[in-house]
Amino acid sequence: MDTPGFSALDFNHLLNEEIKAGFKEFNNFECPYQDCLHINEKECLIKKEVQLGNILPSRYQTYKNLILKKGN
Ligand SMILES: [Zn+2]
């Protein structure tokens, strides 16, 4: 595949970054994965912090809905 320009994948990645940028509290925790979506990743720190109560579950739920709804 050598489609020049803006691929659907890039666009998707950009959307993810934008959604993540809206959840600044996630940045207080350093996820071991670069580029982590904090959804299905096994060792995701964000998911752990939600369980520990350091991130509001409702916020995480909203985040998850946004990521999943745009059809990852
Ligand atoms: Zn993560």
Side-chain angles (χ1 to χ4, degrees):
M1 281 240 278
D2 66 331
T3 320
F6 210 49
S7 76
L9 204 75
D10 287 339
F11 185 64
N12 197 33
H13 183 78
L14 218 94
L15 268 178
N16 288 340
E17 290 306 311
E18 218 160 283
I19 291 169
K20 279 203 250 179
F23 291 79
K24 289 196 168 40
E25 67 264 50
F26 291 8
N27 297 331
N28 295 332
F29 308 98
E30 225 170 300
C31 202
Y33 299 110
Q34 242 181 359
D35 262 1
C36 186
L37 278 182
H38 318 311
I39 305 256
N40 289 318
E41 294 83 351
K42 230 183 177 171
E43 306 289 329
C44 176
L45 184 68
I46 300 301
K47 291 192 341 188
K48 233 171 266 174
E49 296 296 339
V50 173
Q51 263 163 9
L52 290 171
N54 294 327
I55 293 174
L56 273 179
S58 59
R59 284 285 284 169
Y60 179 68
Q61 194 58 49
T62 306
Y63 166 80
K64 217 164 125 176
N65 287 345
L66 282 173
I67 294 279
L68 296 177
K69 201 164 65 186
K70 67 171 186 49
N72 197 38

